[in-house]
Amino acid sequence: MTKEELHSFIENSNGNEGNICQICAVKDGKTVYEDNWHGYKSDDAVNVMSVTKGVMALLAGIALDKGFIKSVDQKVLDFFPGYTVKRGEKTICDVTVKHLLTMTAPYKYRSEPWKKVCTSDDWTKAALDLLGGRSGITGEFKYATLGIQILAGIIENATGEKLIDFANRNLFLPLGIAEHVNHGDSSKEDQFDFVMNKSPRKNEWYSDPKDTVTAGWGLCMSARDMAKLGELVLCKGIVGGKEIVSKEYIDDMITPKQKLGERFGYMEYGYLWYKPYEDREVYAALGDGGNAIYVNREENVSVSVTGTFKPLIFDRVEFIEKKVLPLVR
């Protein structure tokens, strides 16, 4: 398939590829493929959904490298000294940063209480109120988009600055990624529009009433900028001769901590990043709508894909390997 054929294939697709807005591939440090659909331009931003979590893992690494977080084994409550633990609750006292990063933190719910958290005045505190429970820390994988909000509070309390500013200064701007701003509205109607609207967005990050960004979703980026983040992981934290994140942390972040089940395609999981294959040096940050940062160290290539919201897209890694990689080899 040629580049022209791939463009036509996506443009006319009624399947999982029909929502794709942008694709960008960087190989050996150079952009080798870039294309756009549905009226999007290369510098337009898209809500990349849970790819946001992969970016949060990088920001946590920077906070660790700079000593704001002592180690991934530091207790979550160390960062919330004014938080009042509910009577009879003990588990929360033992939850660590690593539990958040590996999705093994325990919570007091069966399904995520979106309304309770996303209508509150302080989403981080609302998420913290859900942490813990009677079952203790079991090490069981529990995918928790709301729970990752606690990580935003940790970084803000540890650094003394808003996460959007920390991200701009330490990650985005050093990589040549445009400065991001808080979205600034968090009404129920606005949240729905933010997820469902198919128009290009500005370089923004959804935020709660306290101006703390949403850590599990809501970061808006172009595929071109996502590819820069992929290259950062590809190059073990060093881009343009400058260390953005330490090699040690990057290696730890992508090293599998557990094997996931059928719901997650039996992939492995590190710190908010997936390893799709046990026997290959391939890693990915994945989100709803098929948004993806794909990193292949075997071929020294990073591929990013943005897409508007569309449920149940689980084959983006396969799509990248079958349709995009042959064009850049």
Side-chain angles (χ1 to χ4, degrees), residues 20-316:
I20 290 177
C21 301
Q22 304 159 321
I23 299 178
C24 183
V26 175
K27 183 177 175 67
D28 300 328
K30 297 180 181 179
T31 300
V32 292
Y33 174 74
E34 191 170 31
D35 203 350
N36 309 296
W37 293 262
H38 306 306
Y40 275 75
K41 300 185 297 293
S42 294
D43 57 356
D44 285 333
V46 181
N47 173 13
V48 298
M49 303 302 288
S50 287
V51 172
T52 305
K53 297 180 177 72
V55 178
M56 285 299 302
L58 292 170
L59 292 171
I62 294 171
L64 278 157
D65 290 338
K66 292 182 177 297
F68 294 115
I69 300 174
K70 296 176 183 177
S71 80
V72 292
D73 295 315
Q74 191 170 0
K75 301 293 177 61
V76 166
L77 289 189
D78 286 356
F79 302 94
F80 302 94
Y83 182 76
T84 301
V85 177
K86 291 180 173 56
R87 188 175 181 179
E89 170 62 57
K90 296 180 180 179
T91 301
I92 192 174
C93 299
D94 295 323
V95 180
T96 67
V97 174
K98 187 173 184 177
H99 290 128
L100 295 176
L101 290 170
T102 57
M103 292 287 188
T104 55
Y107 298 96
K108 306 167 191 170
Y109 58 76
R110 289 189 176 181
S111 60
E112 295 196 71
W114 285 90
K115 183 177 180 180
K116 182 175 183 179
V117 173
C118 297
T119 58
S120 71
D121 292 332
D122 185 338
W123 294 12
T124 301
K125 183 181 182 302
L128 196 58
D129 287 341
L130 301 171
L131 190 64
R134 296 179 180 178
S135 298
I137 299 174
T138 65
E140 179 184 358
F141 182 83
K142 188 169 185 176
Y143 192 82
T145 294
L146 295 176
I148 295 302
Q149 189 63 32
I150 298 168
L151 190 58
I154 287 174
I155 295 175
E156 289 194 343
N157 290 346
T159 62
E161 64 179 321
K162 301 307 291 185
L163 186 54
I164 192 78
D165 298 322
F166 183 81
N168 280 326
R169 186 164 54 83
N170 294 287
L171 182 61
F172 297 157
L173 293 179
L175 290 177
I177 294 173
E179 186 175 53
H180 278 62
V181 298
N182 281 342
H183 176 68
D185 189 3
S186 57
S187 66
K188 178 182 177 181
E189 294 76 18
D190 184 71
Q191 290 176 46
F192 182 82
D193 178 77
F194 194 86
V195 172
M196 303 303 294
N197 195 310
K198 299 183 184 301
S199 300
R201 306 208 68 92
K202 60 184 179 181
N203 291 306
E204 59 184 334
W205 199 334
Y206 208 84
S207 49
D208 76 356
K210 296 288 187 182
D211 286 331
T212 298
V213 298
T214 46
W217 61 283
L219 175 61
C220 297
M221 302 191 86
S222 65
R224 177 182 288 176
D225 285 343
M226 287 164 63
K228 295 174 182 176
L229 294 171
E231 187 181 12
L232 180 68
V233 176
L234 189 67
C235 299
K236 301 184 178 182
I238 298 176
V239 174
K242 183 177 181 180
E243 182 181 272
I244 308 298
V245 192
S246 68
K247 174 185 180 298
E248 291 75 19
Y249 178 79
I250 292 289
D251 286 343
D252 193 24
M253 181 185 80
I254 60 177
T255 297
K257 307 299 186 287
Q258 57 203 305
K259 179 79 170 180
L260 306 183
E262 182 179 7
R263 179 188 168 194
F264 294 92
Y266 301 105
M267 293 186 289
E268 294 179 308
Y269 203 68
Y271 294 159
L272 307 177
W273 279 72
Y274 296 89
K275 188 171 188 288
Y277 313 104
E278 287 187 25
D279 58 346
R280 294 178 56 197
E281 289 290 300
V282 173
Y283 310 93
L286 302 172
D288 272 347
N291 286 281
I293 302 175
Y294 167 95
V295 175
N296 186 324
R297 285 188 171 174
E298 297 168 354
E299 301 195 34
N300 202 32
V301 63
S302 166
V303 179
S304 55
V305 181
T306 62
T308 52
F309 179 74
K310 188 174 184 178
L312 306 178
I313 297 180
F314 303 120
D315 61 350
R316 203 59 103 208

Side-chain angles (χ1 to χ4, degrees), residues 1 299 319-329:
M1 182 178 287
E299 301 195 34
F319 164 79
I320 289 171
E321 297 201 328
K322 289 186 175 181
K323 303 294 187 183
V324 182
L325 287 190
L327 297 178
V328 302
R329 286 185 174 124

